Amino acid sequence: MEDTTLINLWKQQDEKLQKNMQLNLFLLESLQKEKAAARLNSLARFKGWAVFLGIAWILFLGLLLYGNRFSNPYFSISVSAILVFNIAAVVVYIKHISLIRQLDYSQNIVATQNKLARLQASTFNLRFLVLQAPFYCTWFWSTDMINANPALFWSVSVPIALLFTILAAVLYRNLTLENMHKKWVRALINSTPEHTSVFKAIDFLKQIEEFKKG
Amino acid sequence: MSYFGTMDRQKNSDEFTRQLETHKLIIYKICHAYCSNPHDRDDLAQEITYQLWRSYGQFSGQSLFSTWMYRVALNVAITFYRKAKAGDSVIQLSEPDPETEYKPDDNAELEADINTLRQFISELKELDKALMILYLEERSHAEIAEILGITETNTATRISRVKDKLKQRFSQLKK
């Protein structure tokens, strides 16, 4: 089969399409106005909800911190650390939303799709959140609690906090796109609400890489 | 807004509408290649038109309007296709297309070939599909490379690989 035959077949299909073309492209009046705002894509909408919940959580933590007024240093330091991690996560999500909204579809296809797929797989950018885990083991500590039963504190509370610190560090090191071949990393991502779109995005990133290689 | 500002906007809008009218078959063809469901196809066409309008302010005229249009339309179609695939609700690749399917007065062999070509393109991965559409649209390798963002050498290699598979498919059918 000749190349020209393929192109001619395509042209024949064009003719059929042209005959049936009923496309109403001129809904521009409505497209230019309020509809534009509603077209924010689902990825940005999901992240918008995450920002909303994140801000609510930050306000709650701020209130707790303000109520405590540093009377218990363990509580204040732990909640402050959790607060910092969550503020950082909200900032990352706001940055993502802004990137999604500014996405320029007139750039070349590989660059645009690569950017979009990376944003979809951006759960990995929030892996620093696992580092807050140890602070959830220390916020309820107090001098009174330690003095009341030092043996229990050193034999149970401290090892649990240490275990979570090690676990957080291991997760932080391993939760990367490059480690997606590890079964347990995939299983962990599978437990997140965004897992389907993350896996699809990762597969698509692989496709883009292969495509770039030729 | 000043009188001249309003005039400029109107002129821009008129120019955009004129260009869109001239090249609207591009949108239609891309919608057909990426979406087999007529209802979703309309949504995709609207989304492409909206994104074209949104990006039109940045169109500098350094490339052809059609080149720029292919970039926006293919980017939107690929994004739409991937979203639809994630939802598993829109893409039904083997579904006959009422607008291109066989009619009794048509040449049966030609129809079969067109359907094979259409089916083959619908089975390609997102980026290869874009590549093949541009090739069949007789765009130069340099222009395809510019639209896709890959080198001309890669463009040529990939086109020849996909084309070989397509020819193989046709020769198997003819046996």
Side-chain angles (χ1 to χ4, degrees):
Chain A
M1 177 177 259
E2 297 296 320
D3 288 3
T4 47
T5 318
L6 287 177
I7 291 166
N8 282 336
L9 276 179
W10 182 254
K11 281 183 183 159
Q12 298 273 355
Q13 191 200 226
D14 276 6
E15 277 173 29
K16 278 175 101 59
L17 283 177
Q18 217 156 358
K19 270 189 221 162
N20 292 295
M21 191 155 65
Q22 302 154 337
L23 201 61
N24 183 9
L25 294 174
F26 304 111
L27 299 165
L28 282 176
E29 276 305 309
S30 54
L31 286 171
Q32 286 169 39
K33 293 171 187 166
E34 68 277 6
K35 274 193 177 181
R39 285 174 174 265
L40 184 67
N41 79 41
S42 56
L43 183 63
R45 234 181 349 247
F46 175 83
K47 288 181 188 284
W49 272 108
V51 167
F52 175 74
L53 293 174
I55 289 174
W57 181 235
I58 287 167
L59 288 175
F60 174 70
L61 292 175
L63 275 175
L64 286 181
L65 206 59
Y66 180 74
N68 184 263
R69 290 176 205 264
F70 223 80
S71 60
N72 176 2
Y74 294 103
F75 179 86
S76 301
I77 292 170
S78 303
V79 173
S80 300
I82 295 172
L83 197 64
V84 168
F85 279 111
N86 283 279
I87 290 172
V90 166
V91 170
V92 169
Y93 261 11
I94 291 174
K95 212 173 130 191
H96 285 171
I97 293 172
S98 145
L99 286 173
I100 294 166
R101 297 196 78 150
Q102 287 166 15
L103 199 71
D104 182 3
Y105 283 105
S106 63
Q107 294 296 308
N108 75 58
I109 287 153
V110 163
T112 309
Q113 294 302 322
N114 194 22
K115 215 180 277 177
L116 201 56
R118 284 197 176 273
L119 278 167
Q120 276 162 341
S122 59
T123 300
F124 290 99
N125 294 353
L126 291 172
R127 72 189 215 278
F128 66 81
L129 278 177
V130 297
L131 295 174
Q132 67 182 318
F135 296 103
Y136 281 96
C137 307
T138 56
W139 65 268
F140 52 88
W141 289 3
S142 69
T143 321
D144 289 347
M145 179 188 125
I146 298 167
N147 291 340
N149 198 341
L152 187 73
F153 175 74
W154 290 107
S155 62
V156 178
S157 301
V158 172
I160 288 178
L162 276 175
L163 185 76
F164 271 84
T165 308
I166 295 166
L167 203 68
V170 170
L171 284 177
Y172 180 75
R173 278 178 66 96
N174 283 283
L175 284 177
T176 61
L177 273 175
E178 292 71 30
N179 282 329
M180 277 308 286
H181 62 279
K182 294 181 182 170
K183 263 187 185 171
W184 69 270
V185 174
R186 283 189 84 88
L188 212 66
I189 296 294
N190 230 342
S191 63
T192 64
E194 294 176 282
H195 71 273
T196 315
S197 60
V198 171
F199 284 134
K200 299 257 177 210
I202 291 165
D203 288 342
F204 192 52
L205 282 170
K206 275 187 210 154
Q207 197 195 124
I208 293 173
E209 280 312 306
E210 274 171 37
F211 190 79
K212 277 189 336 201
K213 281 181 204 156
Chain B
M1 175 154 309
S2 73
Y3 174 74
F4 289 110
T6 314
M7 287 281 286
D8 273 357
R9 224 170 65 146
Q10 186 56 42
K11 206 176 140 195
N12 238 359
S13 178
D14 290 349
E15 176 60 15
F16 175 71
T17 309
R18 194 187 61 75
Q19 292 269 35
L20 201 61
E21 181 62 45
T22 314
H23 296 99
K24 66 181 178 187
L25 191 60
I26 291 177
I27 301 180
Y28 209 50
K29 279 190 274 194
I30 290 175
C31 289
H32 267 265
Y34 281 89
C35 201
S36 66
N37 179 321
H39 179 73
D40 294 319
R41 204 181 288 150
D42 285 348
D43 283 350
L44 175 57
Q46 257 205 25
E47 186 66 36
I48 292 174
T49 312
Y50 166 69
Q51 292 295 347
L52 284 167
W53 170 251
R54 193 175 159 234
S55 310
Y56 187 62
Q58 290 151 20
F59 173 60
S60 58
Q62 277 179 332
S63 57
L64 291 172
F65 182 84
S66 58
T67 306
W68 171 83
M69 195 166 169
Y70 273 117
R71 268 203 303 258
V72 176
L74 285 168
N75 262 322
V76 177
I78 291 170
T79 309
F80 188 92
Y81 177 87
R82 291 187 54 233
K83 255 192 230 169
K85 214 165 59 162
D88 288 328
S89 62
V90 177
I91 310 296
Q92 295 157 353
L93 296 176
S94 55
E95 185 186 300
D97 187 336
E99 292 175 25
T100 50
E101 74 181 336
Y102 173 73
K103 307 270 185 335
D105 56 329
D106 290 330
N107 174 332
E109 197 185 346
L110 177 70
E111 282 306 313
D113 284 349
I114 291 176
N115 280 339
T116 306
L117 178 66
R118 199 185 137 254
Q119 183 67 27
F120 178 81
I121 288 171
S122 73
E123 287 165 11
L124 289 173
K125 286 181 178 172
E126 297 92 311
L127 298 170
D128 279 336
K129 197 181 292 195
L131 177 90
M132 212 48 197
I133 291 171
L134 293 167
Y135 163 74
L136 292 168
E137 287 287 300
E138 296 183 276
R139 300 280 138 182
S140 69
H141 284 187
E143 193 182 353
I144 297 175
E146 189 199 329
I147 293 170
L148 295 175
I150 54 175
T151 64
E152 273 187 64
T153 321
N154 273 356
T155 305
T157 315
R158 285 207 81 90
I159 287 176
S160 119
R161 210 175 291 160
V162 179
K163 234 168 34 185
D164 284 349
K165 278 190 205 160
L166 178 57
K167 285 177 184 172
Q168 227 175 336
R169 168 84 74 96
F170 273 107
S171 63
Q172 276 168 356
L173 282 172
K174 303 275 176 199
K175 274 178 193 169

